[in-house]
Amino acid sequence: MYSALVSTAERLIESTRDLLWERGYVGTSPKAILERAGAGQGSMYHHFRGKPDLALAAIRRTAEELRAAADAVLDGPGTPYDRIAAYLRREREVLRGCPVGRLTMDPEVIASDALRAPVEETIGWLRGRLAGVVDEGRRLGQFPAGSDPDEIAATVVATVQGGYVLARASGSPGAFDAGVRGLLALLAPRTPAAPAAD
């Protein structure tokens, strides 16, 4: 339960975020939200127009946090490869899955233009952000000149999202970690081979 010092609206948003991650949209009932938030009957409708409006606020907040976490490592120190590696290796609750990516598997979210929009925008933003880092690496000669930044960015996002699925299916974060190691091995800057001795 959230502290009474936090506003009711904030408690409702945070409770909805948690429940969407755990149960999905259908499993997130107004009653469950109110119980998790420690809020009284009718609080939701005082602050929000209803469950879809509250869910949208929660999804937007989750998307903002994902962007901030990605920016923190992609703007960090090191070469473009180092920053992509930091993004792939950053701390995650792997067995819970991605709080944004999991929404793509929720039929109610995908069926709603309003609820789907922040999910689609965030994934598009992330791909663009990663592509910018890859392009920087390509210009510095760290990645092959012929590599396509958009395709590599899509591969990074697919590795992360697929890694969540594999980890959840196996019940072990090892499957996620293996995917990350494999991608980093493929992306690792190549040094020219030394000429063979005569």
Side-chain angles (χ1 to χ4, degrees):
M1 189 174 331
Y2 294 98
S3 164
L5 298 176
V6 178
S7 75
T8 302
E10 280 297 306
R11 293 198 318 267
L12 289 167
I13 290 171
E14 290 301 315
S15 297
T16 303
R17 290 178 65 205
D18 289 345
L19 289 164
L20 285 172
W21 197 1
E22 292 167 17
R23 305 179 185 182
Y25 185 83
V26 172
T28 300
S29 68
K31 180 180 178 186
I33 293 168
L34 293 171
E35 285 177 1
R36 178 78 58 105
Q41 191 111 9
S43 293
M44 179 188 301
Y45 300 99
H46 175 72
H47 295 284
F48 301 95
R49 290 189 300 272
K51 177 181 164 181
D53 188 39
L54 176 53
L56 181 58
I59 291 169
R60 284 181 176 152
R61 174 80 53 84
T62 298
E64 288 167 12
E65 280 193 6
L66 186 144
R67 288 181 187 212
D71 266 338
V73 292
L74 294 174
D75 285 338
T79 66
Y81 175 84
D82 294 336
R83 295 186 335 254
I84 289 172
Y87 169 75
L88 288 166
R89 291 179 175 142
R90 77 175 179 81
E91 192 170 327
R92 294 174 165 87
E93 293 186 60
V94 174
L95 295 180
R96 287 187 75 189
C98 175
V100 172
R102 283 186 68 176
L103 293 169
T104 65
M105 295 179 273
D106 192 314
E108 299 292 327
V109 171
I110 294 305
S112 165
D113 290 342
L115 295 177
R116 186 180 69 251
V119 175
E120 187 177 354
E121 288 164 11
T122 300
I123 292 172
W125 172 88
L126 180 58
R127 286 178 62 172
R129 189 75 176 75
L130 287 163
V133 176
V134 172
D135 189 50
E136 178 188 346
R138 187 178 64 170
R139 285 185 278 108
L140 293 171
Q142 192 166 27
F143 299 122
S147 58
D148 184 317
D150 293 324
E151 290 180 359
I152 292 175
T155 303
V156 171
V157 173
T159 298
V160 170
Q161 295 303 320
Y164 282 123
V165 171
L166 294 174
R168 286 172 59 82
S170 68
S172 168
F176 183 97
D177 297 339
V180 166
R181 286 193 304 272
L183 179 58
L184 288 174
L186 291 171
L187 292 178
R190 305 287 185 251
T191 53
D198 289 333

